[in-house]
Amino acid sequence: MSYTFLSQHFEQRYHLQHLGAICGWDQSTMMPPGGSEARAEAMSTLAVLCHQQLQDPRLADWFAAAEQEPLAPQHTVSLAEMRRQWHDATLLPEELVRAMSLAGSRCEHAWRSLRPANDWAGYLPLFEEVLNLSRQAASARAEALGLSQYDSLLEQYEPGMRSERLDTLFGDIKSWLPGLITQVQDKQRDETLLQPKGPFAIEQQRALGLEVMALLGFDFDHGRLDVSVHPFCGGVSEDVRLTTRYNEQDVTQALMGIIHETGHARYEQGLPAHWRRLPVGQARSMGIHESQSLFFEMQLARHPAFIARLAPLLERHFGAQPAFSPDNMARLYTRVTPGLIRVDADEVTYPAHIMLRYEIERDLIEGKMEARDLPERWDQLMQSYLGLGTKGNYRDGCLQDIHWTDGSFGYFPSYTLGAIYAAQQAAAIQQLTPLEQLIENRLTSVFSWLQKNIWQQASLLDTDRLIEQACGQPLDATAFRQHLQTRYLG
Amino acid sequence: MSYTFLSQHFEQRYHLQHLGAICGWDQSTMMPPGGSEARAEAMSTLAVLCHQQLQDPRLADWFAAAEQEPLAPQHTVSLAEMRRQWHDATLLPEELVRAMSLAGSRCEHAWRSLRPANDWAGYLPLFEEVLNLSRQAASARAEALGLSQYDSLLEQYEPGMRSERLDTLFGDIKSWLPGLITQVQDKQRDETLLQPKGPFAIEQQRALGLEVMALLGFDFDHGRLDVSVHPFCGGVSEDVRLTTRYNEQDVTQALMGIIHETGHARYEQGLPAHWRRLPVGQARSMGIHESQSLFFEMQLARHPAFIARLAPLLERHFGAQPAFSPDNMARLYTRVTPGLIRVDADEVTYPAHIMLRYEIERDLIEGKMEARDLPERWDQLMQSYLGLGTKGNYRDGCLQDIHWTDGSFGYFPSYTLGAIYAAQQAAAIQQLTPLEQLIENRLTSVFSWLQKNIWQQASLLDTDRLIEQACGQPLDATAFRQHLQTRYLG
Ligand SMILES: [Zn+2]
Ligand SMILES: [Zn+2]
């Protein structure tokens, strides 16, 4: 009975989050500007309600009682996931949560104008407040969870992941990545690149995007494509709202963005129907989520065989031009250029951006570094990883990301974990049938593999067991390195 | 303090309803079909929550204490409106509410296929269940409110209105309407009508609609226009979501539909910013709401002076054609033809459809008539009011409306009350300046009058005092009759 009460309680939570997800999507895609104040009030009322819902005093009794009930193995796992969410949501004192939310929105709001103004001095005091509260949160979480301070934050996005393990993993990558980047740049130096000539009408870009989403198995009965300033994959798993942003002069970016978000979307759409209202039926972690978008974007869409399928679609929508040749498009989509901006980075240099942020945020949280030292450390790591300086250029340096403005420390590693998991999944598939062949003739087999091994597993296994069961071994960067070497040097 | 607690509680309610309104709009305009089940669950969770929110045991104490507090007059009114909503929401036992909701959705769902199938026999048992529960609700409400059974339902949509008063009002209209209809038909018999020739591209119809909305002062910073199967004005007053439905072969219908909904929208947008989160700051009644849409549609848009302004817009968007001449468009938009379908009815025959429904629903609720007698009574009243038979034609007779399927008895009178209030408002404005002149040169003065006299008043006055203060006298059909005579026989 107590297990049933808990399930109902968490299902109710799922329904409330549904309302927030749709209204959040609406806010970014449909809402007229004048609606924002009322919307913010409504969303904050909902947030309070969802928070209170997990503070319900009956929950402790239900959990205690449910753990004495005879449960089928899957329900035991489900119970554990509910407990994890509940425990996680009740670790921090109410005043700290409120203070963090306030400081976070203040800092994020200011950042929107301070970044373009390159105003580090204006940003610093706001950021110090956010960091200070995040450290308090990390301490409280660390004590309750028996983890180090940074790990207690990491745990929110990557349950079970520890910085010790990341240090080893990233240490390995650091040992070969800079050399690899240099080699790839040498190899690509004499390549000729043709930029496709625009303009590319928005309506045609959208039609192309929809066609590629269909090719990738997106279920339009349970989702749609719209436009927002910052592309995202939102909504709920039964109704996934994917967005993109079009540039009339550049067709390649929106197209690849749509493919990336389609990966996120198929994960959501592929979650087990029976379980998705409960924590155990939801996405395993941010890293696994990103592994799906990066599987679609990097393993599939930038594969020469896939680009060979994209090229005729481009021609059909925009007319033939030399730049649309499969070879040229493949070169464009695999061009490696160290740059300052993470979101513009290519597949090979991307991990450098992440390792830099990881080292900094870990030290910030553990008190080994202060907010004021951020620009110098950033510049120094940028120099060492990518040979680029950011002295005085805060805008394209430590002010470029939104994540830290609201205290989302511990999130960045998920991007590179995702890239690694995606490479492991592609390698596992490759062992059964060459990916090239599947892309050419049996794309649906790829999706079936993901469906069975990742999507349908939701949170029924922990991340290590999920990856081990799917790929034969837990987290390991070998396949990722292999993938980069084959694609960029092979 | 208790007044403050109450205000916060009702403001929270307003924010929750915001989420429901936006998700409701999304459901009709954006949601892919496969999202409907999850959405229904989320919406029903929200409905339960909003219901529970008014069952909060603290409310009774707060109301008792607040009534002892020294309050400014407007806060006293606000307190009374909160109490009215609270009282109204707590009149019925929980099981009855649940049973009504269940029977209502079952009947409404079945109606969607039974109506096209003309299946009265299939509908009857479902409808009997809805009627039976509605009678129980009416009895419970009647006892608690000290009203007759039908009046207790009417009170939900038209606070303060009583069937005794409707009997007098409709009795008056019945004494002159059939004669008027005959006279108008005689007068219009020899008129030549040109139907505009399509197709009219949807994109152009939308552009025209937006232009007319702008002309009517719709605030696009606080609202938008989209498409849905059943047009409505939804969203929240800070962000009004208006919808329409386009027909490539007919431009006149969507255009007038948009104008009608724009009237609803401007009322919402014009509610007092300071009060709109509380019951006292919201729309006064369904009849007053409809008076705004009908003011826009009937008093303004079908006025020859307004049609003279519409004609060149039609030409600009679709090219010139003889049918677009102002005279012809005016004839089209004022053509009177008795018909079976309420939603297709013209301004003159519309009240007959309402009076018929009023008499039937009143007798159904008061137990003076049974569900099985509905088709016969419908046919007989249709014959007597509009000279048309519906024997065996349930689809276009008693099965045509959605209202009774979910037990919304007491709503129908609002339509004709709205038409009457709109005519009174137009007459009041006309006493200051001829409407023709205002439409030609100073449309904004019309909106200022409505803003001051109706929109900004929200629920600060009861309906009678609102209309009396605005128009010099309470509800009275004289102006409505005058308006019809002038427009259709003058
Ligand atoms: Zn992503
Ligand atoms: Zn209306």
Side-chain angles (χ1 to χ4, degrees):
Chain A
M1 274 315 278
S2 289
Y3 175 79
T4 306
F5 290 148
L6 283 168
S7 299
Q8 286 166 352
H9 200 78
F10 277 83
E11 282 178 15
Q12 191 193 45
R13 183 175 174 73
Y14 182 73
H15 298 324
L16 291 178
Q17 287 168 337
H18 175 130
L19 302 170
I22 295 300
C23 287
W25 167 86
D26 180 90
Q27 200 166 326
S28 303
T29 55
M30 298 289 159
M31 188 183 75
S36 63
E37 201 181 317
R39 181 64 53 84
E41 289 170 351
M43 293 294 266
S44 122
T45 297
L46 182 66
V48 169
L49 214 69
C50 285
H51 183 73
Q52 284 173 350
Q53 218 236 0
L54 281 192
Q55 310 283 334
D56 191 318
R58 294 170 302 178
L59 285 169
D61 295 339
W62 286 340
F63 274 114
E67 269 143 30
Q68 305 306 316
E69 291 171 2
L71 293 175
Q74 288 197 317
H75 290 110
T76 307
V77 180
S78 171
L79 183 62
E81 281 298 319
M82 288 194 270
R83 179 183 266 284
R84 201 175 62 77
Q85 271 202 13
W86 171 62
H87 190 209
D88 208 87
T90 48
L91 289 180
L92 300 182
E94 196 103 11
E95 320 88 82
L96 182 56
V97 172
R98 228 191 327 263
M100 285 174 74
S101 151
L102 201 68
S105 29
R106 203 183 289 137
C107 183
E108 184 189 318
H109 183 80
W111 169 79
R112 296 194 184 276
S113 47
L114 295 172
R115 185 196 170 196
N118 201 39
D119 185 353
W120 168 254
Y123 180 75
L124 182 57
L126 296 165
F127 178 60
E128 276 175 331
E129 176 69 9
V130 169
L131 177 60
N132 177 32
L133 293 166
S134 296
R135 283 173 173 173
Q136 290 179 37
S139 298
R141 292 179 57 86
E143 192 170 22
L145 297 169
L147 294 173
S148 79
Q149 293 181 305
Y150 181 74
D151 285 355
S152 82
L153 298 186
L154 190 57
E155 180 75 8
Q156 301 170 95
Y157 311 106
E158 298 298 328
M161 183 51 62
R162 304 289 172 256
S163 51
E164 206 184 340
R165 213 163 153 202
L166 287 179
D167 289 337
T168 312
L169 186 79
F170 290 166
D172 168 41
I173 295 178
K174 260 191 286 186
S175 75
W176 50 261
L177 190 68
L180 180 71
I181 294 172
T182 314
Q183 278 178 284
V184 176
Q185 283 189 282
D186 283 346
K187 180 164 184 290
Q188 293 186 341
R189 186 150 300 135
D190 300 324
E191 279 178 356
T192 338
L193 282 185
L194 295 176
Q195 293 297 337
K197 283 210 181 59
F200 306 98
I202 305 292
E203 259 320 299
Q204 282 303 312
Q205 291 199 47
R206 177 175 153 83
L208 171 64
L210 292 172
E211 200 171 344
V212 173
M213 286 167 73
L215 178 66
L216 294 172
F218 183 89
D219 177 0
F220 287 97
D221 192 41
H222 291 93
R224 41 180 293 146
L225 170 69
D226 294 277
V227 171
S228 71
V229 179
H230 303 285
F232 64 92
C233 171
V236 293
S237 63
E238 300 91 341
D239 180 2
V240 177
R241 305 293 174 94
L242 191 154
T243 74
T244 190
R245 177 176 46 176
Y246 301 105
N247 174 349
E248 281 234 318
Q249 297 311 318
D250 180 6
V251 65
T252 59
Q253 229 180 333
L255 178 58
M256 206 44 88
I258 287 173
I259 292 171
H260 179 99
E261 302 303 338
T262 300
H264 284 303
R266 288 222 62 186
Y267 186 16
E268 288 291 324
Q269 290 182 336
L271 291 170
H274 176 64
W275 286 108
R276 64 177 79 189
R277 290 178 193 79
L278 294 176
V280 74
Q282 288 152 26
R284 176 64 279 184
S285 78
M286 290 299 123
I288 297 297
H289 226 306
E290 198 65 13
S291 81
Q292 297 312 287
S293 54
L294 292 177
F295 187 98
F296 275 62
E297 180 186 351
M298 299 302 178
Q299 302 297 329
L300 281 187
R302 288 180 203 258
H303 193 292
F306 196 89
I307 292 176
R309 295 189 66 167
L310 280 182
L313 299 183
L314 283 160
E315 282 198 10
R316 184 145 55 71
H317 284 279
F318 303 106
Q321 54 169 292
F324 287 159
S325 80
D327 285 354
N328 183 65
M329 289 305 293
R331 281 195 296 273
L332 275 179
Y333 272 137
T334 53
R335 183 72 177 184
V336 173
T337 319
L340 295 178
I341 305 297
R342 175 183 60 83
V343 295
D344 296 336
D346 56 79
E347 184 178 14
V348 181
T349 58
Y350 203 103
H353 292 273
I354 296 307
M355 294 186 300
L356 170 155
R357 285 159 179 75
Y358 163 67
E359 288 169 56
I360 293 177
E361 69 176 13
R362 185 197 55 200
D363 288 356
L364 283 171
I365 292 300
E366 305 278 358
K368 291 174 187 150
M369 187 186 140
E370 292 306 321
R372 60 175 175 276
D373 305 323
L374 178 50
E376 199 189 320
R377 180 84 182 275
W378 192 284
D379 175 62
Q380 173 210 324
L381 287 171
M382 245 351 232
Q383 287 283 5
S384 125
Y385 291 160
L386 293 174
L388 299 169
T390 56
K391 208 155 259 160
N393 184 0
Y394 312 106
R395 183 195 292 128
D396 301 325
C398 61
L399 283 187
Q400 71 182 269
D401 295 310
I402 197 176
H403 302 60
W404 291 340
T405 65
D406 75 343
S408 297
F409 297 98
Y411 187 99
F412 278 121
S414 304
Y415 293 107
T416 290
L417 290 171
I420 295 170
Y421 290 136
Q424 288 187 264
Q425 292 161 33
I429 294 172
Q430 186 90 20
Q431 281 200 332
L432 307 171
T433 321
L435 205 51
E436 183 167 2
Q437 219 171 292
L438 293 172
I439 292 175
E440 279 165 4
N441 311 310
R442 285 192 292 133
L443 212 38
T444 50
S445 312
V446 178
F447 306 139
S448 304
W449 190 94
L450 293 171
Q451 168 89 5
K452 173 166 170 276
N453 289 284
I454 308 292
W455 308 340
Q456 286 287 308
Q457 299 302 323
S459 291
L460 287 159
L461 307 172
D462 65 37
T463 311
D464 269 342
R465 287 185 50 224
L466 172 73
I467 291 298
E468 196 165 355
Q469 186 174 294
C471 310
Q473 53 180 17
L475 179 63
D476 187 306
T478 313
F480 181 54
R481 185 182 183 182
Q482 275 289 338
H483 160 70
L484 294 181
Q485 284 181 323
T486 310
R487 176 169 292 171
Y488 292 88
L489 297 176
Chain B
M1 272 316 277
S2 289
Y3 175 79
T4 307
F5 290 149
L6 283 169
S7 299
Q8 286 167 352
H9 200 77
F10 277 84
E11 281 176 15
Q12 192 193 43
R13 183 175 174 74
Y14 182 72
H15 297 325
L16 292 178
Q17 287 168 337
H18 174 130
L19 302 169
I22 296 301
C23 287
W25 167 85
D26 180 90
Q27 200 166 327
S28 305
T29 55
M30 298 289 158
M31 188 183 77
S36 63
E37 200 181 317
R39 181 64 53 84
E41 287 170 353
M43 293 294 266
S44 120
T45 297
L46 182 67
V48 169
L49 213 70
C50 285
H51 183 72
Q52 284 172 350
Q53 217 236 2
L54 281 191
Q55 310 284 334
D56 191 317
R58 293 171 302 178
L59 285 169
D61 295 340
W62 286 342
F63 274 113
E67 269 144 29
Q68 305 306 315
E69 290 171 2
L71 294 175
Q74 286 197 317
H75 291 109
T76 307
V77 180
S78 171
L79 182 62
E81 280 299 317
M82 288 193 271
R83 180 182 266 286
R84 200 175 62 75
Q85 270 201 13
W86 171 61
H87 190 211
D88 207 88
T90 47
L91 288 180
L92 300 183
E94 198 102 10
E95 321 89 81
L96 182 56
V97 173
R98 228 189 331 262
M100 284 174 73
S101 152
L102 202 68
S105 28
R106 204 182 288 138
C107 182
E108 185 189 317
H109 182 78
W111 169 77
R112 294 191 185 279
S113 47
L114 295 172
R115 186 196 170 194
N118 201 38
D119 185 354
W120 167 253
Y123 180 76
L124 182 57
L126 296 165
F127 178 60
E128 276 175 332
E129 177 68 9
V130 170
L131 177 60
N132 177 32
L133 293 166
S134 295
R135 282 173 174 172
Q136 290 178 38
S139 297
R141 293 178 56 85
E143 192 170 22
L145 296 169
L147 294 174
S148 79
Q149 295 181 304
Y150 181 74
D151 285 356
S152 82
L153 298 185
L154 190 56
E155 180 75 9
Q156 300 171 95
Y157 310 106
E158 298 298 329
M161 183 52 62
R162 303 288 171 257
S163 52
E164 206 185 340
R165 212 162 152 202
L166 286 178
D167 289 337
T168 312
L169 186 78
F170 289 167
D172 167 41
I173 295 177
K174 261 191 285 186
S175 74
W176 49 261
L177 190 69
L180 181 71
I181 294 172
T182 314
Q183 277 179 286
V184 175
Q185 283 188 282
D186 283 346
K187 182 163 182 291
Q188 293 185 342
R189 185 149 299 134
D190 302 323
E191 278 179 356
T192 337
L193 282 184
L194 296 176
Q195 293 297 336
K197 282 209 181 62
F200 305 98
I202 305 291
E203 259 321 298
Q204 281 304 311
Q205 289 200 48
R206 176 175 153 83
L208 171 64
L210 292 171
E211 200 171 345
V212 173
M213 286 167 74
L215 177 67
L216 293 173
F218 183 89
D219 177 0
F220 287 96
D221 193 41
H222 290 93
R224 42 180 292 146
L225 170 68
D226 294 278
V227 171
S228 72
V229 179
H230 302 285
F232 63 93
C233 171
V236 293
S237 63
E238 300 92 340
D239 181 1
V240 177
R241 305 294 174 94
L242 190 154
T243 75
T244 190
R245 177 177 46 176
Y246 300 105
N247 174 348
E248 282 235 317
Q249 298 312 318
D250 180 5
V251 64
T252 59
Q253 229 180 331
L255 178 59
M256 206 45 88
I258 288 173
I259 293 171
H260 179 98
E261 302 303 339
T262 300
H264 284 304
R266 288 221 63 185
Y267 184 16
E268 288 292 324
Q269 291 182 335
L271 291 170
H274 177 64
W275 285 109
R276 65 177 79 189
R277 291 177 193 79
L278 294 176
V280 73
Q282 289 152 25
R284 175 65 278 183
S285 78
M286 290 299 125
I288 297 297
H289 226 307
E290 198 65 13
S291 81
Q292 297 312 288
S293 54
L294 292 177
F295 187 98
F296 275 60
E297 180 186 352
M298 300 302 180
Q299 301 299 328
L300 280 188
R302 289 180 202 256
H303 193 291
F306 196 89
I307 292 176
R309 295 189 67 166
L310 280 182
L313 299 182
L314 283 160
E315 282 199 8
R316 184 145 57 72
H317 285 278
F318 303 105
Q321 55 169 290
F324 286 159
S325 80
D327 284 355
N328 183 65
M329 289 306 294
R331 281 195 296 273
L332 275 178
Y333 272 137
T334 53
R335 184 71 177 185
V336 173
T337 319
L340 295 178
I341 305 298
R342 175 183 60 85
V343 295
D344 296 336
D346 56 78
E347 185 178 12
V348 180
T349 58
Y350 203 103
H353 293 273
I354 295 309
M355 294 186 300
L356 171 156
R357 285 159 177 77
Y358 163 68
E359 288 170 56
I360 292 178
E361 69 176 13
R362 184 198 55 201
D363 287 356
L364 282 171
I365 292 300
E366 305 278 359
K368 292 173 185 148
M369 188 185 140
E370 291 307 320
R372 63 176 174 274
D373 305 323
L374 179 49
E376 199 190 321
R377 180 83 183 275
W378 191 285
D379 175 62
Q380 171 209 324
L381 287 173
M382 244 353 231
Q383 287 284 6
S384 125
Y385 292 161
L386 292 175
L388 299 169
T390 57
K391 208 155 259 160
N393 185 359
Y394 311 107
R395 183 194 293 129
D396 301 326
C398 62
L399 283 186
Q400 72 181 268
D401 295 309
I402 197 176
H403 302 60
W404 291 340
T405 66
D406 75 343
S408 296
F409 297 98
Y411 187 99
F412 278 121
S414 303
Y415 293 106
T416 290
L417 289 171
I420 295 170
Y421 290 137
Q424 288 186 265
Q425 291 161 33
I429 295 172
Q430 185 92 20
Q431 280 199 334
L432 307 170
T433 322
L435 205 53
E436 182 168 3
Q437 220 171 291
L438 293 171
I439 291 174
E440 280 165 3
N441 311 310
R442 284 191 292 133
L443 213 37
T444 49
S445 311
V446 177
F447 306 139
S448 305
W449 190 94
L450 293 171
Q451 170 88 5
K452 174 167 170 276
N453 288 284
I454 308 293
W455 308 340
Q456 287 286 308
Q457 299 302 323
S459 291
L460 288 159
L461 306 172
D462 66 36
T463 311
D464 269 343
R465 285 185 50 225
L466 173 72
I467 291 298
E468 195 166 357
Q469 187 175 293
C471 310
Q473 55 182 14
L475 178 63
D476 187 306
T478 312
F480 182 54
R481 184 182 185 184
Q482 275 290 338
H483 159 70
L484 295 180
Q485 283 181 324
T486 310
R487 176 169 291 172
Y488 292 88
L489 297 176

